[in-house]
Amino acid sequence: MFGDLFEEDFSFISNNHCGKGKKAKPRDSEPPAPRDSTNLSGIKNQGGTCYLNSLLQTLLFTPEFRGNALFSLGPEELGTLDDSSKPDAKVRIIPLQLQRLFAQLLLLDQQAASTTDLTESFGWNSHEEMRQHDVQELNRILFSALETSLVGTSGHDLINRLYHGIVVNQIVCKECKNISERQEDFLDLTVAVKGVAGLEEALWNMYVEEEYFENENLYQCGACDKLVEASKSAKLRKLPPFLTISLLRFNFDFEKCERYKETSCYTFPIQINLRAFCEQTEMDDSEYMYELFSVIIHKGGCYGGHYHVYIRDVDELGNWQLQEEEDRLIEDKALIDSENAEETENPLAVLTGILSEEESKQIPVDQLGQKLLEKNGVSWNKKYRKQYGALRKYLQNHPQIFQFSPDENKVGLKKKQKVPFKSDSQGQDLQSPPQKNDVQWNSEKKRAMLRDSSAGCHWFDLNDSKVQPIKEKDIEKQFQGKESAYMLFYRKSQLKRPPEARGNPRYQIPEHLLNEMNAANTELQKKRVECDSANNGIDLHLHLSSCYKFHNGALHPSLTWKESVVDLTIDRRKTLGDLRQSVFQMLESWEGDMILSIAKPLPAGLHLYQILDGDELTLDGIGLADGADIFVWNGKEVGGTKVMTGPDHEPVVVNVLRLEEYNEGGKGQHFTESQHVFSCSTKLDDLRRALAPSGGIILKNGLGLDKEAKNWEIFLEEDMKETVKSIGLIDGCSVLVLDSHDQSFVNVSSGNLTAFTYDISWLQVKNFCRMDDEEKHVKITATIETVMSDIKMKAIRELQLEEELANESCLRPVSGNGKLLSPVPEDYTVKEAELRMGSLLGLCHGKAPTSTQLFLYFIVGSDQNASPEMEIVVEETASVKECLNLMLEKSGLSGDNWHLRRLDWCYEAGEALSQE
């Protein structure tokens, strides 16, 4: 079961360890999560290893096992993991890996540690890890393995020192009073659950009640040499420092011939006095008193389930705080903050203080606002505007202190101006703010008092990776039921911990492990900073107004794109004020007001939208996304030209068509094409005057360059008051301008184009029926009214394939990434199939679905990378079960344990579909 766990003579030493030369395991892209509010680390479940995790946590929170025993063994006795690859080195892998795991659980800032290296030292493979084992059995086997691996070291008797006890069984002859006794060693006691109310009753039955040999059941006395009456009893002769008790929850029903779990109520005390169960009873009570410190709990039945553990934090390493306690502390903190809240600083003192620290005599007003935000952590508008008005106005109201530049864009202190500390213009006292150090010290002192008031040995529920605080009374919930206590761990009450161990996870950990954990934490922190920066950093493209000009309805760079745009990476959690300050620092030569506007590249050019405002808001809060374009300008004009902003002034690129005067030899009507830009607020009457100044009519085609006559609509006279936006003209729409001599093509009464034809276009078809022709394409001429079956027959002939293939093939659109999409019904036209002219189709084996059929993709399992995507055609009326059977048949699978789940666009599986 445990591989080579018991091999002696160090044959259990594995070369697969965490030292040098070990092949690196693949790491996740993100570092592990840090510890939660409990400050305790859980253990990852490798798949069915919850029983191991529960036992390891119990051993970790046994301080005498962890510190006095395990950590006291140094490299001189155990060797080092780095030496395990050396042929002559004696390295004791199991205790070394256990030391390392305990150091990680105590010091490494991660939510859960891995036991992979430890289980590898056991000789487990991945299959072994996935098996569910019994924690009582594991406890004995692990102790045996540790004892074997520590032979020849000072820790050879580690297990015996802590867990070894002795039970003495005695038989007393009623005639000669001869006592026959037999000693039994134990590392744990196994007690009955069935028919017993609790632990104390079970111990009474075992070590107080006597069994009598009488009547027909007599005892053969060795001294009397005959059958006699006798009494049999058992007592605890030696008590260990730590008493492990296994509860016999699982029994066998001989009538039903099956195992079952005993779920009846079984009580056990937090403190227990074992005097009544011991052979020697004359010692002080302290020798018999034990305190519960760990309860391993089993949830489930006798054929499987889950283990977790309740643990008493003897050394107070964790931060115990239930939700109601946290709520109370939050209220207390709010009270402390309100009591020590500083008076609002006077703006005059703050502003003069900022300006007095500036080396330059004057700075831009906007920059002064940014520096105030940095100093106070809050903007002028949020803190002072309501009481004092706008910042510029406030500065102007104090001409005796502040001096503006001639253009009033910069401000500084008047010469020989000292910072006032008596009163401002409103007569308010300008007292220096309270000392923050005093406030902080008082607050910390109050918090320390709050912590001390709840100090003590508290309980935690350690459930694999999850750790949460519990109350002591929660243990009573594990007395009975499918989730109930399975193993109990008691420690002698007289065992006291030294003061230096309290709240100190570093206590007694060897120096080399401390150094290793410090280095690991540094690396973790570095990775978290990098990951945090990567996850929260956004790249912004800053467009500088000095590098742009406004013409033809939009902004265009006057230089190259690279010279006109500055890229800036910033944390999305920073404020707009931080962004503005960063831009100021990048553009040291900027003068005057700085306005930041959202920009968007459109087909016509760059267009500006809303102005970013609210310097105290975060970039994430204002919706600034990664890759956003920001235009930096004065908010009024660019290059002397006023710029209209917002969605109502978006520029629209319109494709303008005019009939060619003469088309010799051409088939269909030819056009001249040109592009024009109009604001979406432009009236149609203005658009008509711009495009047809000499008179004429204008027609709209919402399908872009598709020139079929029936898709053109005339703009009537009543439409002329509409705008480009309201009439539905968007980028890429076409308008046809007909002069007076061209108007014979138009039936003005119906508003439709009546006379000219359109250019014939084509579709591409690629052969997927034969792999040797994979790269062969043909162009098939078609119109939007061509039927798909005709296109297929033309493609088969052009590809020189057998015409019999027509009955066993279909046409499937090919996506931009090369994926074959659903087959197109053969009775559809190009227009009904919603195909664009020039689209690529694949000629594939298989029939296209009819109007009563569905074409479905499916994969086996939920991992799209592990299973190829397959296809199937079913009738719409087919049940889910019939569909499942067809899919199983196609994929070569069988069995009744399969079901269907709908996958969304990102291959996430939904709920199982009903078979019916």
Side-chain angles (χ1 to χ4, degrees):
M1 169 182 162
F2 283 77
D4 56 2
L5 186 62
F6 306 112
E7 293 296 324
E8 297 186 89
D9 299 326
F10 303 97
S11 59
F12 50 79
I13 294 174
S14 167
N15 289 328
N16 195 10
H17 61 89
C18 287
K20 298 176 183 177
K22 180 178 178 181
K23 184 178 178 181
K25 297 180 180 178
R27 294 183 179 179
D28 297 331
S29 57
E30 293 197 5
R35 300 180 181 224
D36 59 20
S37 58
T38 64
N39 198 38
L40 297 178
S41 175
I43 302 178
K44 296 176 185 176
N45 192 326
Q46 296 184 53
T49 58
C50 53
Y51 64 99
L52 173 66
N53 298 347
S54 299
L55 182 58
L56 289 174
Q57 291 283 22
T58 298
L59 295 177
L60 173 72
F61 282 90
T62 307
E64 291 76 9
F65 176 90
R66 177 187 74 229
N68 301 355
L70 188 64
F71 282 148
S72 65
L73 301 172
E76 65 281 356
E77 293 191 274
L78 303 181
T80 64
L81 293 172
D82 291 340
D83 293 337
S84 63
S85 58
K86 298 178 181 179
D88 298 330
K90 289 188 176 181
V91 180
R92 304 168 191 264
I93 297 289
I94 293 179
L96 283 173
Q97 291 291 11
L98 197 56
Q99 279 187 347
R100 190 169 182 272
L101 174 63
F102 281 5
Q104 290 175 343
L105 290 170
L106 290 168
L107 299 179
L108 200 56
D109 184 21
Q110 59 182 7
Q111 184 180 0
S114 171
T115 58
T116 303
D117 294 316
L118 179 64
T119 55
E120 285 179 359
S121 73
F122 292 167
W124 284 5
N125 53 32
S126 58
H127 173 71
E128 184 73 27
E129 291 162 3
M130 293 297 292
R131 289 181 55 197
Q132 176 68 271
H133 294 296
D134 183 83
V135 71
Q136 297 174 356
E137 179 185 12
L138 174 69
N139 183 55
R140 298 171 188 135
I141 294 176
L142 183 59
F143 280 181
S144 177
L146 270 173
E147 279 190 315
T148 303
S149 62
L150 292 176
V151 170
T153 71
S154 61
H156 66 92
D157 60 344
L158 182 156
I159 302 300
N160 273 345
R161 288 202 316 263
L162 299 179
Y163 298 96
H164 176 256
I166 299 175
V167 172
V168 58
N169 294 287
Q170 295 181 338
I171 299 178
V172 180
C173 175
K174 290 292 184 70
E175 293 192 9
C176 68
K177 308 302 180 184
N178 180 62
I179 299 176
S180 174
E181 68 176 33
R182 177 174 53 87
Q183 283 193 171
E184 293 180 8
D185 299 319
F186 70 87
L187 297 178
D188 65 280
L189 295 178
T190 301
V191 299
V193 173
K194 183 180 180 181
V196 182
L199 175 63
E200 289 165 304
E201 183 181 343
L203 292 175
W204 183 274
N205 292 341
M206 293 170 63
Y207 303 117
V208 177
E209 292 286 345
E210 293 185 343
E211 179 184 351
Y212 294 100
F213 296 94
E214 56 188 6
N215 299 327
E216 296 180 357
N217 181 28
L218 298 175
Y219 168 70
Q220 179 69 41
C221 177
C224 300
D225 194 22
K226 63 178 180 178
L227 293 173
V228 296
E229 292 185 349
S231 62
K232 180 182 178 182
S233 64
K235 292 288 184 182
L236 295 170
R237 174 166 285 180
K238 177 194 171 189
L239 293 175
F242 295 91
L243 182 62
T244 303
I245 298 177
S246 300
L247 307 183
L248 284 175
R249 286 281 183 189
F250 299 123
N251 283 309
F252 189 83
D253 189 327
F254 289 95
E255 291 183 2
K256 297 181 179 179
C257 288
E258 63 181 17
R259 295 181 71 206
Y260 69 96
K261 181 178 179 180
E262 189 66 53
T263 58
S264 59
C265 183
Y266 188 90
T267 63
F268 47 88
I270 299 296
Q271 287 188 329
I272 187 170
N273 189 326
L274 299 180
R275 181 192 295 272
F277 315 119
C278 292
E279 183 182 33
Q280 299 177 5
T281 60
E282 68 279 359
M283 293 184 292
D284 187 76
D285 255 358
S286 61
E287 296 291 336
Y288 306 100
M289 290 300 298
Y290 281 77
E291 295 177 349
L292 184 70
F293 77 98
S294 175
V295 182
I296 292 183
I297 297 155
H298 181 264
K299 179 180 181 181
C302 57
Y303 296 106
H306 177 69
Y307 291 97
H308 62 109
V309 61
Y310 286 178
I311 286 181
R312 181 168 168 260
D313 185 12
V314 176
D315 276 353
E316 301 179 35
L317 302 178
N319 178 29
W320 186 89
Q321 211 64 257
L322 293 175
Q323 187 60 50
E324 54 265 32
E325 292 290 329
E326 290 181 3
D327 295 341
R328 182 178 62 82
L329 284 185
I330 290 172
E331 293 176 1
D332 292 338
K333 183 179 182 299
L335 179 62
I336 293 170
D337 291 342
S338 64
E339 289 174 352
N340 297 294
E342 299 179 11
E343 295 292 334
T344 303
E345 297 97 335
N346 189 283
L348 200 59
V350 177
L351 294 173
T352 51
I354 293 172
L355 291 172
S356 64
E357 295 172 357
E358 289 298 312
E359 295 181 1
S360 57
K361 294 181 179 179
Q362 292 184 327
I363 62 174
V365 175
D366 284 342
Q367 193 171 339
L368 176 61
Q370 294 309 309
K371 290 185 176 295
L372 183 142
L373 174 63
E374 290 179 354
K375 186 177 181 70
N376 282 4
V378 64
S379 67
W380 173 276
N381 288 343
K382 189 170 183 180
K383 188 166 187 177
Y384 300 113
R385 186 184 181 101
K386 185 175 181 180
Q387 184 175 358
Y388 299 101
L391 174 59
R392 185 180 294 273
K393 181 180 177 182
Y394 183 83
L395 295 170
Q396 290 170 343
N397 288 340
H398 294 79
Q400 73 280 13
I401 299 175
F402 305 109
Q403 184 174 5
F404 280 89
S405 61
D407 60 0
E408 293 197 343
N409 284 327
K410 291 186 176 182
V411 68
L413 291 175
K414 277 195 171 182
K415 291 183 179 180
K416 299 181 181 179
Q417 178 62 44
K418 294 183 180 180
V419 180
F421 284 103
K422 291 187 178 179
S423 65
D424 69 354
S425 60
Q426 299 182 16
Q428 295 176 339
D429 291 336
L430 296 180
Q431 299 176 352
S432 60
Q435 296 299 313
K436 291 187 178 180
N437 288 339
D438 295 340
V439 176
Q440 184 178 1
W441 188 89
N442 288 331
S443 300
E444 291 298 326
K445 184 177 179 181
K446 183 77 173 287
R447 293 190 189 97
M449 292 171 62
L450 291 170
R451 281 199 303 268
D452 290 341
S453 66
S454 61
C457 296
H458 292 293
W459 287 82
F460 291 89
D461 178 10
L462 291 95
N463 192 343
D464 288 338
S465 298
K466 186 178 180 182
V467 181
Q468 60 184 7
I470 60 170
K471 293 183 178 180
E472 190 176 274
K473 65 180 182 181
D474 291 333
I475 298 173
E476 297 176 8
K477 299 176 184 177
Q478 308 304 332
F479 285 169
Q480 61 187 348
K482 288 189 176 181
E483 182 178 9
S484 50
Y486 191 59
M487 285 188 77
L488 308 176
F489 297 82
Y490 285 88
R491 57 182 283 125
K492 271 196 172 181
S493 302
Q494 64 181 202
L495 293 175
K496 302 299 180 184
R497 299 295 293 152
E500 57 269 25
R502 180 182 177 187
N504 180 13
R506 303 170 66 88
Y507 182 65
Q508 293 183 320
I509 297 181
E511 189 69 26
H512 69 281
L513 285 175
L514 289 175
N515 294 335
E516 182 183 345
M517 295 305 113
N518 288 339
N521 276 325
T522 301
E523 185 65 22
L524 268 179
Q525 184 60 27
K526 178 183 175 183
K527 288 184 178 179
R528 287 190 182 121
V529 170
E530 292 173 353
C531 185
D532 183 72
S533 176
N535 290 340
N536 291 288
I538 54 175
D539 294 324
L540 303 178
H541 307 303
L542 304 178
H543 302 260
L544 312 180
S545 60
S546 58
C547 302
Y548 276 80
K549 55 186 178 181
F550 186 83
H551 68 88
N552 202 16
L555 291 162
H556 300 271
S558 53
L559 306 171
T560 64
W561 178 267
K562 187 175 181 180
E563 294 172 306
S564 304
V565 179
V566 178
D567 290 331
L568 172 66
T569 300
I570 190 170
D571 194 308
R572 69 174 78 242
R573 294 165 297 187
K574 287 187 176 292
T575 64
L576 179 59
D578 296 328
L579 171 61
R580 199 184 304 276
Q581 184 63 28
S582 298
V583 177
F584 265 121
Q585 292 172 357
M586 295 175 65
L587 309 175
E588 296 179 354
S589 60
W590 186 275
E591 294 186 0
D593 292 335
M594 175 185 285
I595 301 298
L596 304 179
S597 294
I598 294 290
K600 183 179 179 182
L602 299 176
L606 196 69
H607 184 66
L608 306 185
Y609 293 86
Q610 77 270 22
I611 293 175
L612 298 176
D613 194 18
D615 283 358
E616 71 280 358
L617 301 176
T618 64
L619 301 182
D620 193 42
I622 62 177
L624 210 55
D626 187 34
D629 293 277
I630 306 294
F631 195 74
V632 185
W633 62 316
N634 60 13
K636 300 174 184 176
E637 47 80 26
V638 174
T641 304
K642 185 178 180 181
V643 177
M644 304 301 290
T645 65
D648 292 336
H649 299 284
E650 276 187 1
V652 177
V653 178
V654 179
N655 196 53
V656 179
L657 307 176
R658 299 177 190 273
L659 296 178
E660 284 190 351
E661 293 183 5
Y662 183 67
N663 179 27
E664 183 176 0
K667 183 176 181 179
Q669 187 65 50
H670 283 200
F671 300 86
T672 62
E673 301 178 9
S674 60
Q675 289 186 331
H676 294 255
V677 178
F678 296 95
S679 169
C680 66
S681 60
T682 303
K683 295 286 179 64
L684 284 187
D685 194 33
D686 296 330
L687 182 143
R688 181 174 63 177
R689 280 198 296 270
L691 297 180
S694 302
I697 59 175
I698 297 178
L699 298 96
K700 166 197 171 185
N701 186 339
L703 300 180
L705 298 180
D706 183 2
K707 308 174 189 70
E708 188 183 2
K710 67 179 183 180
N711 292 322
W712 291 94
E713 298 176 4
I714 188 171
F715 286 135
L716 303 176
E717 197 60 36
E718 54 264 31
D719 296 327
M720 292 300 109
K721 295 181 181 179
E722 298 288 339
T723 64
V724 168
K725 184 177 182 179
S726 64
I727 207 68
L729 284 178
I730 59 174
D731 287 315
C733 279
S734 295
V735 296
L736 177 63
V737 179
L738 296 179
D739 295 330
S740 55
H741 65 277
D742 296 323
Q743 294 183 23
S744 59
F745 290 113
V746 178
N747 182 341
V748 178
S749 62
S750 66
N752 289 325
L753 205 60
T754 59
F756 66 89
T757 61
Y758 47 85
D759 293 333
I760 293 178
S761 190
W762 46 269
L763 294 167
Q764 299 180 82
V765 178
K766 179 179 178 181
N767 181 20
F768 283 86
C769 291
R770 285 168 47 190
M771 297 305 294
D772 54 340
D773 292 334
E774 185 179 359
E775 297 301 322
K776 188 173 181 181
H777 294 69
V778 291
K779 287 186 178 181
I780 306 299
T781 56
T783 70
I784 61 173
E785 296 299 330
T786 305
V787 179
M788 296 304 299
S789 59
D790 294 336
I791 295 175
K792 184 176 76 171
M793 289 305 303
K794 289 180 183 179
I796 290 174
R797 295 189 188 105
E798 289 285 334
L799 291 168
Q800 299 179 355
L801 303 173
E802 298 82 10
E803 293 200 5
E804 290 80 8
L805 189 62
N807 295 326
E808 298 296 329
S809 61
C810 60
L811 291 176
R812 300 177 64 172
V814 181
S815 67
N817 58 8
K819 180 180 179 180
L820 287 170
L821 305 180
S822 301
V824 179
E826 296 197 353
D827 56 349
Y828 276 25
T829 64
V830 172
K831 181 180 179 181
E832 290 170 335
E834 299 181 350
L835 296 174
R836 292 179 177 270
M837 287 300 179
S839 297
L840 176 61
L841 300 171
L843 181 65
C844 306
H845 285 296
K847 292 185 178 181
T850 65
S851 59
T852 64
Q853 293 179 321
L854 296 175
F855 182 90
L856 303 175
Y857 295 98
F858 71 97
I859 61 174
V860 178
S862 58
D863 186 357
Q864 58 166 329
N865 297 318
S867 174
E869 195 173 68
M870 290 180 275
E871 306 159 351
I872 193 172
V873 176
V874 297
E875 293 294 331
E876 284 183 340
T877 57
S879 68
V880 172
K881 188 172 184 179
E882 291 170 341
C883 184
L884 174 60
N885 290 334
L886 290 173
M887 291 179 179
L888 291 174
E889 181 180 349
K890 177 143 189 176
S891 54
L893 299 172
S894 61
D896 298 325
N897 296 326
W898 299 94
H899 63 270
L900 296 182
R901 294 177 182 266
R902 188 191 302 273
L903 295 179
D904 61 16
W905 63 275
C906 58
Y907 287 85
E908 290 290 336
E911 295 292 328
L913 300 179
S914 170
Q915 294 281 350
E916 302 306 316

